[in-house]
Amino acid sequence: MFRRREPVPFAFLAEADKFRSNVAPPPRERASVSQIAGRWLLGLTIVAALVGSLVVGMPALSPDQSAQTQQSQASQGR
């Protein structure tokens, strides 16, 4: 394999952890009014879908009262 002819200065590696760049990243672009409105509309649609699924699914989650009354009538011999 190849050997490095110059040793790596370990002081340079230790200073690399402390190095901070003086170049600032560019500022973020502000969202336009239509983008903000679209995000709100998407969030509102998702919340409405979750609430709607709960409203539609609640009858299936409740105990069935008609089955209990039919069972009691059958046990009485009617």
Side-chain angles (χ1 to χ4, degrees), residues 46-75:
I46 291 172
V47 169
L50 290 172
V51 170
S53 67
L54 279 175
V55 169
V56 170
M58 284 304 282
L61 295 174
S62 65
D64 193 14
Q65 298 295 331
S66 63
Q68 292 175 354
T69 57
Q70 289 175 357
Q71 190 177 26
S72 64
Q73 290 174 356
S75 65

Side-chain angles (χ1 to χ4, degrees), residues 6-40:
E6 298 176 1
V8 177
F10 292 105
F12 174 74
L13 294 176
E15 290 177 9
D17 293 336
K18 299 180 209 174
F19 180 72
R20 297 273 189 239
S21 175
N22 60 354
V23 178
R28 292 183 62 183
E29 293 182 18
R30 294 187 64 170
S32 66
V33 175
S34 63
Q35 286 177 334
I36 293 172
R39 290 175 189 167
W40 272 97

